[in-house]
Amino acid sequence: MTVNVETLEKLERKITLTLPVETIQAEVDSRLKRLARTVKMDGFRPGKVPMSVVAQRYGYSVQYEVMNDKVGQAFSQAANEAKLRVAGQPTITEKEGAPEGQVAFDAVFEVYPEVKIGDLAEAEVERVSTEVTDEAIDRTVDILRKQRRTFGLRSQDSAAADGDRVTVDFEGKIDGEPFQGGKAEDFQFIVGEGQMLKEFEDAVRGMKVGDSRTFPLAFPADYHGKDVAGKQADFMVTVKKIEAANLPEIDEAFTKSLGIGEGTVEALRDDIRKNLEREVKFRLLARNKTAVMDALLAKSELDLPKSVVQSEIDRMVEGARAELKQRGIKDADKAPIPADVFRPQAERRVRLGLVVAELVRANSLEAKPEQIKAHIEELASSYEKPADVVRWYYGDNRRLAEVEAVVIENNVTEFVLGKAKVSDKAVGFDELMQQQG
């Protein structure tokens, strides 16, 4: 089979496919005969419907199915013959002027690009590292104590201070008019923890039970309440109750309440250190992986298949709609989401996917079964019943594929770090943990 491939643009190609009319008709007749043996129609017994009636009722749809199947097969055969890596679905249109007894179609499609990866020895990558310090463990212990704190009433003449839980009545007005959500009674919050806007906390701090105070408050422009965002309000607040926080002692009862069987402070700190080190490891890996992928893209040249980018955009739009639906947004599936918002991210994903695939192919960086197993076991180790989590991953091919993709990315990261000009930088624990996980 001789295949003539015409180049239209960088990645766009065209193949003309021809099919004998008699081959198509023979398949149509064969399918109609099979259909006639089972089809049910009023006035006829099953299997006794005349072929002329079956053809009249179903001929068009069967012809359409056969044509699709035969053209699809011809396209696949032609693409394989020409050794083309087809990207996306072809656009197939019937062609005028076919030879006698033939039907002709033009198939326009894209092919995957040639990926050129430059000298990775010239790539520059900043690799960060972080230590889990005693101070970080101390802060984690403090957080755990705060989560289990209790509150007791302060004396009548005590002033509200940071860490106290206060109960207040308040009412806010904008231009002298009340607004929705601006009034509450017996409202509780903890001073100094950012639960309220700064002006509100500043006003309450230092007040005593029975005190009232009026103060101005400027809502930020990005405030979640759109009706009041960027506006100035006047509030009046009255303090009704002030409670002091009582933090639990770090003793055997406290540690056992956290599931530490030994009940010692040392065991608690060891458990915290282990958990923090696991979290730090994954965050460092994510940050260093991003740096590697940026360097890899900078050293790569390729054209992007438009059809693959569009498929990725469509997938991201559907994902955004699914998220809106999950949040209870009405008619989320009809929400007007501008596709071009996702284009830069989609292009990066497609570009990165093609570059990584080429690097994996050229350097045998595929995920090995033992690597997948080790990664799953590490993920499972933080759970109460690791064996159940391992079975959960191995029980679903899609979940396994997600782990495999992560392991491949880790292999690529290690490979590039082994070739590139790497500069090491230590970052603080707090800086690392404040980043998006």
Side-chain angles (χ1 to χ4, degrees):
M1 178 180 179
T2 303
V3 180
N4 181 35
V5 181
E6 183 182 346
T7 298
L8 303 181
E9 282 188 12
K10 290 179 180 179
L11 299 178
E12 199 171 53
R13 305 287 185 269
K14 182 170 78 172
I15 292 177
T16 298
L17 309 166
T18 55
L19 298 169
V21 172
E22 62 182 29
T23 301
I24 293 170
Q25 192 56 51
E27 179 63 22
V28 170
D29 291 343
S30 174
R31 292 192 188 186
L32 285 173
K33 284 176 184 175
R34 288 201 301 272
L35 190 60
R37 290 199 291 267
T38 57
V39 72
K40 295 179 181 179
M41 294 179 68
D42 291 342
F44 300 97
R45 285 183 294 150
K48 300 296 183 182
V49 182
M51 273 297 297
S52 58
V53 177
V54 175
Q56 185 178 10
R57 174 74 67 86
Y58 298 104
Y60 178 80
S61 60
V62 170
Q63 174 104 11
Y64 181 79
E65 288 174 6
V66 170
M67 195 73 80
N68 270 354
D69 290 349
K70 292 296 182 184
V71 171
Q73 291 166 10
F75 175 75
S76 294
Q77 185 179 347
N80 288 335
E81 184 80 15
K83 295 182 171 58
L84 296 173
R85 294 176 60 233
V86 178
Q89 292 295 319
T91 300
I92 297 175
T93 53
E94 192 168 353
K95 188 176 182 180
E96 299 287 336
E100 186 71 26
Q102 303 276 324
V103 284
F105 298 87
D106 281 336
V108 177
F109 57 97
E110 287 184 295
V111 294
Y112 281 105
E114 178 187 0
V115 179
K116 296 178 182 177
I117 301 176
D119 185 4
L120 293 178
E122 295 299 314
E124 296 183 359
V125 181
E126 182 183 78
R127 177 173 55 195
V128 298
S129 60
T130 302
E131 284 188 21
V132 176
T133 61
D134 286 338
E135 289 77 15
I137 296 172
D138 290 340
R139 284 198 295 275
T140 305
V141 171
D142 287 341
I143 291 169
L144 293 171
R145 292 176 73 200
K146 280 185 177 180
Q147 289 172 351
R148 285 157 178 78
R149 64 190 159 187
T150 57
F151 291 89
L153 279 175
R154 277 194 178 278
S155 61
Q156 197 74 11
D157 59 347
S158 295
D162 284 348
D164 288 346
R165 183 169 70 184
V166 294
T167 303
V168 301
D169 292 345
F170 66 80
E171 183 176 15
K173 294 181 179 180
I174 296 176
D175 296 328
E177 294 295 326
F179 57 90
Q180 189 173 2
K183 182 178 181 179
E185 294 181 355
D186 295 328
F187 182 85
Q188 288 187 334
F189 71 96
I190 297 171
V191 181
E193 294 199 351
Q195 297 171 4
M196 306 294 284
L197 291 174
K198 183 178 182 299
E199 292 98 321
F200 202 106
E201 287 200 341
D202 288 346
V204 171
R205 192 181 287 108
M207 292 178 67
K208 298 178 181 179
V209 173
D211 287 352
S212 294
R213 179 175 291 173
T214 302
F215 60 96
L217 185 148
F219 286 102
D222 59 352
Y223 191 67
H224 59 81
K226 301 301 179 188
D227 293 340
V228 298
K231 295 182 179 178
Q232 176 93 11
D234 291 305
F235 274 86
M236 188 179 81
V237 62
T238 301
V239 175
K240 299 174 77 174
K241 186 163 63 175
I242 302 175
E243 298 169 284
N246 298 309
L247 296 174
E249 292 295 324
I250 308 172
D251 54 17
E252 183 177 348
F254 175 67
T255 54
K256 284 190 172 180
S257 75
L258 295 168
I260 308 299
E262 295 176 36
T264 65
V265 177
E266 290 74 22
L268 172 63
R269 293 180 69 86
D270 286 346
D271 188 70
I272 290 171
R273 183 182 293 277
K274 186 169 65 176
N275 288 328
L276 290 182
E277 285 176 346
R278 184 187 299 113
E279 177 67 15
V280 162
K281 178 181 177 180
F282 282 117
R283 284 180 180 249
L284 286 175
L285 187 58
R287 178 161 164 173
N288 290 332
K289 189 186 293 183
T290 299
V292 162
M293 297 305 172
D294 288 344
L296 192 54
L297 286 180
K299 284 292 176 184
S300 303
E301 291 181 24
L302 70 155
D303 294 317
L304 287 181
K306 296 173 187 173
S307 56
V308 180
V309 172
Q310 188 57 52
S311 293
E312 182 63 20
I313 290 173
D314 293 343
R315 194 185 68 78
M316 293 171 74
V317 168
E318 285 308 306
R321 287 207 172 99
E323 188 178 335
L324 290 175
K325 188 175 182 181
Q326 198 171 22
R327 286 160 50 188
I329 304 298
K330 189 180 178 183
D331 296 328
D333 55 334
K334 300 173 186 174
I337 299 176
D340 276 352
V341 169
F342 298 104
R343 186 169 297 280
Q345 191 179 356
E347 288 182 349
R348 177 183 166 87
R349 284 186 183 181
V350 171
R351 190 184 303 277
L352 200 50
L354 293 172
V355 172
V356 166
E358 175 58 25
L359 199 67
V360 169
R361 183 200 63 78
N363 299 281
S364 301
L365 300 176
E366 294 84 0
K368 298 178 177 60
E370 59 269 24
Q371 289 180 308
I372 294 172
K373 182 172 181 285
H375 189 77
I376 289 174
E377 287 176 349
E378 185 172 19
L379 291 172
S381 65
S382 63
Y383 290 86
E384 190 175 342
K385 296 181 178 178
D388 291 349
V389 178
V390 171
R391 278 194 295 272
W392 181 78
Y393 274 105
Y394 277 102
D396 188 302
N397 287 333
R398 188 175 55 187
R399 289 192 285 263
L400 267 181
E402 289 172 356
V403 172
E404 182 180 6
V406 171
V407 172
I408 289 172
E409 288 179 354
N410 293 347
N411 289 347
V412 168
T413 299
E414 290 302 312
F415 179 82
V416 174
L417 287 173
K419 300 278 187 184
K421 296 177 181 176
V422 178
S423 58
D424 287 299
K425 177 186 176 184
V427 298
F429 176 85
D430 289 344
E431 179 188 341
L432 181 73
M433 300 305 280
Q434 284 165 6
Q435 295 171 356
Q436 294 297 320

